[in-house]
Amino acid sequence: MLGKKSLWQVGTDHAGIATQMVVERKLAAEGQPDRHALGREEFTRKIWEWKEHSGGTITRQMRRLGNSVDWETERFTMDDGFYKAVQEVFIRLYQDGLIYRGKRLVNWDPKLHTAISDLEVENKDVKGKMWHLKYPLADGLTYTDEDGVEHSHITVATTRPETMLGDTGVAVNPEDPRYKHLIGKEVILPFVERRIPIVGDEHADMEKGTGCVKITPAHDFNDYEVGKRCKLPMINILTFNADIREEAQTFTTDGSVNNDLSGFIPEKYRGMERFAARKAIVADFEEAGLLVDIVENDMVVPYGDRGGVVIEPMLTDQWYVDAKTLAKPAIEAVENGDIQFVPKNYENMYFSWMRDIQDWCISRQLWWGHRIPAWYDEEGNVYVGHDEAEIRAANHLADDVELIQDEDVLDTWFSSALWTFGTLGWPNLDDPEVARRMADFHPTDVLVTGFDIIFFWVARMIMMTMHFCKDDDGTPQVPFKTVYVTGLIRDEVGQKMSKSKGNVLDPLDMIDGISLDDLLQKRTGNMMQPQLAEKIGKRTQKEFPDGITPHGTDALRFTLAAMASTGRDINWDMKRLEGYRNFCNKLWNASRYVMLSVAGEEAVEKAAAEGTQIAITDEMKAACGVSPSGQGEPVVLSLADRWIISRLQHAETEVRRHLDQYRFDMAAQALYEFIWNEYCDWYLELSKPVLWDKNASEEEKRGTLGTLVRVLEATLRLAHPIIPFITESIWQQVKDLAGKTGDTIMLAEYPAPRDELIDAQAEADIAWLQGVITAVRNIRAEKNIGPSKELDIILKDGDDEDFRRADENQTFLMKLAKLGKITWFNEGDTLPMATTQLVGQMEVLVPLADLINKDEEIARLNKEVEKLDKEITRISKKLGNEGFVAKAPAAVIEKEKDKLAGYERDQGKIKEQIEAIKAL
RNA sequence: AGGACUAUAGCUCAGUUGGUUAGAGCGCUACCUUGACAUGGUAGAGGUCCCCAGUUCGAAUCUGGGUAGUCCUACCA
């Protein structure tokens, strides 16, 4: 519509963990063999199958919503082309020294058997216990505390007693007077009988627990750091299931295998499940008289957000990306404004995460994902390359050297991070098509996303893109210039929508409607927690007793736009949706009126009955001022015509401005107001006196009919981005009448305001007209006079403008206010018993001798006087304030003075009126 | 613990750089099947702008402090 070359790149990622999990669960539910029985190849084939038939939910919704995306270039992060990009990126980063492999502590999900990222860990508040355990000092050492009590033990506090099997030290604060003399001494780890040192480390907090912390570097992130600082070895006591191992694995501080240290685990704990082991160990401490205390403890426990079980820090070999190096330019790009967040406050969120970024663990122990392009020989040497042959050649490896590819896959976000350039065909830049697309569409302009994705996607896309995509002069390219952050759609009470809560609303159901039964089935069928079904069912039944009625796509889109104020979550309100459905209906009916006016009832009804388009004839075009030759027919524009054209220019200005500023809510609001409150409420009504006037000239009728059509046509184009379907449908009918050509409104020009069409005089005149009409309607309502009864009115105290306007707009006034006669009050006339309204300085009088109670009328007017009194007092006070007069801008003072004068004049008029009535 | 966001009509939300008689939709009241539309029309009622203090001639808007709610980050002794 703006004539710009554009691409909306759509696609989906492969959601590694979630997808693998869903399919595993499905296999289990169907009684099929699990993935280990199937084997890697067969299992991934199953996932592909599943993806084929149920992977399109989101894109189906997008299609129905009419999103104007380029479907031909739809991509999936597991498609072949994408793998090329992923592989290339991995290899280059490895060569650049930005990817490395190492033994580190990771968040391990014991259920899903994979490392997961910090961001996939959900920390839950839990009421737990802390156990105080005594570790005996080695070599019979004792010490005396400040109270003179002698101790042969040191007491540590822990919330995870089972990890003591892997303790390699006890830390005390080097400043702690109670314990610092023990630094360098040793304790005997109960049951394991291992001698472990007491070390001094800042990590030990004198205030917390007992002041002594057991250190288990292989099973705790803090301890891991302490272990590194104090050169403690690491002992892994858990299997990947998080059960106690038969024999522990021992490592030195740097992660290499430590053969000097025993991996002994007391027989009774071997193979125990971690929480069972916890119980057993606590019991044994108690029995041994080493359990000092159990303290209730509020704490936070990490759960895997997918698997739902407690995460275990685990020492494993993983691949890492040096995120700190990549983050540097990515931070700068946002700092210097190359990338802007809308709304801006999300930049802080981005900075706070990026400035404290940890190296990114990219390997996952899954089967669904991009296999890591790394191979190992028998000695454990690592080779990274595109394939085995390339690696052999590059490293001069003989054919009989066995190479085994890394079993792990890459984090889904690793591939998602390549989205902006990977989807354009990178790295095949030698392909002219790819080069052209990169030149046309990279950097891209806008990324639309939810705030919860800023860390996952946005940050990583920025890092990767800036590393790999450069201008000819080597300047890094940003992936996009603007990040538009949408709010989340929540349910009507502000809860996040989720399947387990059963409060999810499918946009398709709001578009097409759904019966209560189907909705219940959808929400409660096939649930992970069937015990919730009843509750969800009840709630659904209460909220949607009749299901959901159809509202249509445009209504849904308009609602989403109208609710999209900056960065704010939206509590979904069906009533708003209904309101905007009515709006669409209003637009439809308005266009019906236009077509009836042009084509006549017969043609319109016939087309409606047959479901066809109205046949537009040359006569119809001519009636709208479009002659077959393409030359405009002569027209005369009425005041109303000039007014609505002028108002349209304002609407166009507003809508465009709001769209440019991503204020879709305000753009929607501006459209709503223009279409309903101006075009429908006033202009259509004002067109009737002209069109239905037998005495009106051809030129006048053409002027009005043409304006009806042209303003509608432009409005459709203006509204098209928000409500594409209805606008297209109507546009196909009116385009010819408006002298427009083209197959689709999608390719029609977006309306731009033209200054020369703004008509201040017409706007002022119509405002006056509206004032008079509203005044009369007001009197009607107040006096309970039906709208069909004709009224005679008297105008009093008008100036030249009032005379002119009343004279020029008699027809409009008579018709819209349903008047019989308009007369001017002349000096010396006797004032009849009447009720009044003010329009500026002019009085509108409706003589209603029989309907007016003198006292009531006076009371009503007195109320007006009081109301004005308040305002007058307020403004007088303001103007009497020396500070205000001295310091406020002249324009503001002038405005206040005008207001005051206006109120005083009105009040004077009303007081006069009261006197006049009293005198009757 | 640190941070962000939110608090405006019965409900869902606007209110751009301080100057409005504080707005919209829905709901509510009264009247109306007038030749686009009852998914409608006309006219209304309805608000200590969460509280307190400050800055200012002037605060829904700016500052500080509270209260309530939502969320994020960190924290398993």
Side-chain angles (χ1 to χ4, degrees):
Chain A
M1 296 192 89
L2 290 173
K4 293 184 180 168
K5 188 182 275 187
S6 62
L7 167 68
W8 181 348
Q9 178 66 49
V10 73
T12 40
D13 70 33
H14 59 277
I17 297 180
T19 307
Q20 176 159 330
M21 211 175 86
V22 167
V23 174
E24 285 195 84
R25 209 162 53 220
K26 183 170 171 280
L27 292 178
E30 292 169 355
Q32 294 198 52
D34 69 10
R35 75 179 161 106
H36 298 287
L38 287 171
R40 186 166 189 144
E41 204 173 314
E42 181 62 14
F43 179 70
T44 42
R45 205 181 55 76
K46 293 262 183 209
I47 298 184
W48 276 107
E49 267 174 29
W50 177 86
K51 192 256 166 192
E52 292 311 322
H53 86 265
S54 64
T57 307
I58 294 173
T59 51
R60 263 200 304 281
Q61 289 170 335
M62 290 178 78
R63 282 171 203 273
R64 283 301 310 283
L65 281 164
N67 291 358
S68 194
V69 312
D70 183 9
W71 292 108
E72 283 175 19
T73 61
E74 181 180 351
R75 295 293 297 274
F76 177 51
T77 49
M78 280 293 281
D79 62 33
D80 290 340
F82 227 95
Y83 182 58
K84 283 210 187 80
V86 170
Q87 203 181 37
E88 190 65 27
V89 163
F90 187 96
I91 293 165
R92 286 201 205 167
L93 286 175
Y94 182 78
Q95 287 164 351
D96 294 345
L98 294 170
I99 279 186
Y100 63 91
R101 191 164 184 270
K103 192 177 276 303
R104 294 287 156 82
L105 217 47
V106 294
N107 294 301
W108 183 263
D109 188 316
K111 184 174 169 189
L112 303 173
H113 281 207
T114 180
I116 61 173
S117 108
D118 295 353
L119 299 170
E120 290 162 308
V121 174
E122 201 183 335
N123 293 304
K124 292 188 187 172
D125 288 313
V126 179
K127 288 223 180 294
K129 288 189 172 62
M130 187 161 69
W131 290 270
H132 291 192
L133 306 175
K134 282 207 259 189
Y135 285 5
L137 292 162
D139 307 320
L141 191 71
T142 60
Y143 72 98
T144 312
D145 68 19
E146 54 188 0
D147 297 330
V149 180
E150 194 181 26
H151 296 275
S152 58
H153 301 82
I154 191 166
T155 304
V156 299
T158 180
T159 56
R160 291 188 304 158
E162 71 281 9
T163 62
M164 58 88 51
L165 298 172
D167 284 0
T168 57
V170 170
V172 298
N173 194 291
E175 307 293 320
D176 194 332
R178 295 171 296 176
Y179 306 116
K180 63 179 181 190
H181 59 277
L182 293 172
I183 294 171
K185 304 290 190 296
E186 290 184 320
V187 297
I188 306 287
L189 198 58
F191 319 132
V192 184
E193 307 299 329
R194 180 162 58 234
R195 290 176 75 104
I196 57 173
I198 296 170
V199 296
D201 193 278
E202 298 294 335
H203 168 65
D205 184 336
M206 290 183 266
E207 308 296 321
K208 249 170 140 179
T210 60
C212 305
V213 199
K214 60 193 264 324
I215 301 299
T216 326
H219 293 288
D220 182 283
F221 288 99
N222 288 316
D223 292 5
Y224 180 79
E225 295 301 322
V226 177
K228 272 208 291 200
R229 282 196 292 270
C230 300
K231 304 270 182 293
L232 299 175
M234 304 190 280
I235 300 180
N236 174 30
I237 59 158
L238 295 175
T239 67
F240 286 154
N241 276 334
D243 295 336
I244 307 294
R245 297 180 64 89
E246 296 293 317
E247 188 182 0
Q249 295 174 310
T250 56
F251 303 96
T252 59
T253 313
D254 64 16
S256 57
V257 173
N258 184 340
N259 290 319
D260 302 334
L261 194 60
S262 153
F264 172 75
I265 288 179
E267 196 174 344
K268 96 175 259 200
Y269 308 126
R270 292 176 198 167
M272 275 180 116
E273 191 272 336
R274 54 183 162 163
F275 298 114
R278 178 176 299 178
K279 265 191 186 162
I281 284 172
V282 169
D284 291 345
F285 265 93
E286 186 166 18
E287 200 180 312
L290 296 173
L291 178 63
V292 181
D293 203 0
I294 305 176
V295 182
E296 293 293 326
N297 189 32
D298 289 331
M299 53 188 208
V300 180
V301 178
Y303 284 81
D305 69 351
R306 297 290 176 189
V309 301
V310 177
I311 291 306
E312 208 59 58
M314 190 77 80
L315 204 53
T316 53
D317 288 310
Q318 302 286 351
W319 288 91
Y320 290 89
V321 167
D322 173 357
K324 276 196 168 51
T325 304
L326 291 176
K328 222 176 147 238
I331 291 169
E332 284 163 12
V334 176
E335 279 172 344
N336 65 25
D338 289 347
I339 298 174
Q340 300 201 346
F341 283 71
V342 177
K344 212 163 183 57
N345 49 298
Y346 284 108
E347 286 176 7
N348 292 329
M349 194 168 162
Y350 174 82
F351 287 137
S352 68
W353 193 67
M354 288 291 268
R355 285 175 183 150
D356 188 36
I357 197 166
Q358 303 298 310
D359 279 1
W360 171 18
C361 174
I362 50 171
S363 42
R364 294 288 182 273
Q365 289 64 52
L366 303 170
W367 288 352
W368 179 235
H370 295 299
R371 190 100 175 246
I372 291 173
W375 280 261
Y376 305 93
D377 63 18
E378 283 166 337
E379 275 103 56
N381 295 311
V382 183
Y383 306 97
V384 168
H386 292 87
D387 53 49
E388 226 181 292
E390 181 195 281
I391 285 166
R392 283 183 195 280
N395 297 282
H396 312 293
L397 298 175
D399 288 347
D400 60 352
V401 175
E402 201 189 343
L403 288 178
I404 297 170
Q405 189 175 2
D406 197 308
E407 290 294 323
D408 291 350
V409 300
L410 289 162
D411 180 12
T412 304
W413 305 107
F414 187 90
S415 38
S416 308
L418 317 180
W419 189 257
T420 49
F421 57 98
T423 51
L424 295 174
W426 191 96
N428 301 325
L429 297 173
D430 294 340
D431 181 339
E433 174 66 13
V434 171
R436 192 185 59 76
R437 283 173 66 79
M438 285 293 286
D440 280 350
F441 299 123
H442 205 278
T444 71
D445 284 300
V446 189
L447 176 77
V448 179
T449 187
F451 76 93
D452 47 342
I453 300 301
I454 289 175
F455 303 141
F456 286 126
W457 265 78
V458 182
R460 284 166 189 173
M461 281 171 129
I462 297 173
M463 289 194 281
M464 287 295 202
T465 307
M466 293 186 75
H467 188 76
F468 285 100
C469 299
K470 306 274 164 82
D471 287 343
D472 291 339
D473 65 2
T475 316
Q477 285 186 359
V478 293
F480 29 69
K481 295 162 197 147
T482 303
V483 180
Y484 176 82
V485 182
T486 64
L488 241 53
I489 309 266
R490 297 168 174 277
D491 76 0
E492 72 289 348
V493 289
Q495 297 265 340
K496 210 166 164 174
M497 290 190 187
S498 83
K499 219 178 160 185
S500 60
K501 280 189 210 135
N503 59 352
V504 174
L505 280 169
D506 186 335
L508 299 187
D509 294 338
M510 295 193 271
I511 292 172
D512 298 327
I514 186 169
S515 70
L516 176 61
D517 285 347
D518 289 348
L519 184 60
L520 282 171
Q521 174 58 31
K522 206 164 171 172
R523 284 186 168 186
T524 59
N526 194 18
M527 286 191 54
M528 278 175 69
Q529 294 158 287
Q531 71 275 15
L532 296 175
E534 195 184 345
K535 206 173 129 194
I536 291 170
K538 273 192 184 148
R539 188 184 151 167
T540 302
Q541 203 142 9
K542 195 178 157 207
E543 202 191 336
F544 302 104
D546 305 310
I548 300 173
T549 53
H551 293 86
T553 303
D554 288 324
L556 178 62
R557 288 177 60 118
F558 199 92
T559 311
L560 290 171
M563 307 279 283
S565 43
T566 47
R568 194 181 157 139
D569 285 358
I570 296 165
N571 292 0
W572 190 251
D573 180 6
M574 275 297 172
K575 291 289 185 187
R576 291 286 294 255
L577 179 62
E578 251 170 63
Y580 293 123
R581 179 200 55 187
N582 296 352
F583 168 72
C584 293
N585 188 49
K586 187 78 177 174
L587 177 59
W588 180 259
N589 280 313
S591 76
R592 203 176 108 86
Y593 165 77
V594 173
M595 292 314 293
L596 282 169
S597 303
V598 176
E601 196 172 342
E602 204 178 316
V604 171
E605 296 299 339
K606 184 164 175 273
E610 293 172 358
T612 56
Q613 296 255 315
I614 299 160
I616 303 297
T617 63
D618 286 350
E619 286 72 23
M620 293 177 194
K621 285 196 217 173
C624 298
V626 179
S627 72
S629 65
Q631 301 282 314
E633 301 276 345
V635 296
V636 171
L637 294 182
S638 74
L639 169 63
D641 296 338
R642 284 180 283 123
W643 170 75
I644 196 67
I645 290 168
S646 183
R647 295 308 302 161
L648 174 64
Q649 311 310 310
H650 291 296
E652 288 171 356
T653 307
E654 287 291 285
V655 172
R656 288 183 81 117
R657 197 183 85 227
H658 294 316
L659 290 181
D660 285 345
Q661 295 172 350
Y662 301 99
R663 287 306 302 265
F664 306 114
D665 57 330
M666 294 175 93
Q669 179 78 4
L671 281 167
Y672 188 99
E673 272 167 16
F674 176 72
I675 292 175
W676 202 314
N677 301 340
E678 302 197 293
Y679 188 73
C680 292
D681 282 352
W682 287 100
Y683 182 62
L684 293 194
E685 295 309 319
L686 289 167
S687 74
K688 290 173 186 174
V690 178
L691 298 181
W692 298 349
D693 182 358
K694 293 201 173 57
N695 299 320
S697 69
E698 282 303 307
E699 287 79 7
E700 285 172 320
K701 291 201 174 183
R702 261 204 297 274
T704 293
L705 218 44
T707 305
L708 269 175
V709 163
R710 283 157 196 269
V711 171
L712 175 61
E713 192 276 336
T715 306
L716 293 172
R717 283 184 281 125
L718 193 63
H720 180 257
I722 300 184
I723 42 175
F725 294 102
I726 188 173
T727 48
E728 175 79 271
S729 161
I730 300 171
W731 191 79
Q732 292 298 334
Q733 291 282 275
V734 300
K735 61 173 179 177
D736 291 337
L737 299 172
K740 297 281 173 181
T741 52
D743 292 335
T744 165
I745 192 172
M746 292 185 275
L747 299 178
E749 203 180 330
Y750 200 63
R754 285 163 54 194
D755 283 346
E756 68 272 21
L757 294 178
I758 290 178
D759 190 334
Q761 183 67 51
E763 294 199 30
D765 286 358
I766 291 285
W768 178 91
L769 190 69
Q770 290 172 327
V772 177
I773 292 167
T774 308
V776 175
R777 286 173 178 169
N778 207 308
I779 292 169
R780 277 182 197 278
E782 212 142 296
K783 294 295 161 224
N784 228 331
I785 304 163
S788 52
K789 184 178 162 58
E790 279 194 357
L791 290 177
D792 293 341
I793 63 167
I794 299 168
L795 301 178
K796 183 169 173 280
D797 294 350
D799 63 9
D800 291 349
E801 277 291 85
D802 293 321
F803 278 113
R804 178 183 65 77
R805 285 166 169 157
D807 184 50
E808 288 175 0
N809 296 299
Q810 273 202 48
T811 341
F812 287 143
L813 273 177
M814 306 286 259
K815 170 81 182 150
L816 270 69
K818 195 83 178 156
L819 301 180
K821 202 167 61 181
I822 304 171
T823 47
W824 281 95
F825 182 82
N826 291 315
E827 207 60 45
D829 289 358
T830 44
L831 202 65
M833 186 65 183
T835 186
T836 32
Q837 287 271 327
L838 283 171
V839 177
Q841 66 190 347
M842 183 180 76
E843 280 180 53
V844 179
L845 290 90
V846 180
L848 291 163
D850 44 340
L851 281 171
I852 295 177
N853 174 302
K854 225 167 131 176
D855 295 338
E856 270 177 23
E857 187 64 14
I858 291 170
R860 183 182 75 88
L861 293 170
N862 269 328
K863 234 168 112 185
E864 284 296 310
V865 170
E866 274 171 39
K867 211 164 141 190
L868 287 168
D869 246 348
K870 269 193 204 157
E871 288 305 312
I872 289 168
T873 314
R874 194 175 61 82
I875 299 178
S876 305
K877 232 167 110 183
K878 207 175 199 178
L879 287 168
N881 183 332
E882 274 174 43
F884 177 72
V885 181
K887 292 185 180 171
V892 173
I893 297 172
E894 206 48 44
K895 210 171 143 191
E896 292 298 317
K897 280 185 178 165
D898 286 352
K899 270 197 278 184
L900 182 64
Y903 292 143
E904 281 174 341
R905 186 196 61 208
D906 290 358
Q907 200 188 38
K909 290 262 169 204
I910 294 168
K911 281 180 175 164
E912 269 176 40
Q913 186 66 23
I914 293 171
E915 291 312 312
I917 292 174
K918 278 183 183 165
L920 285 171

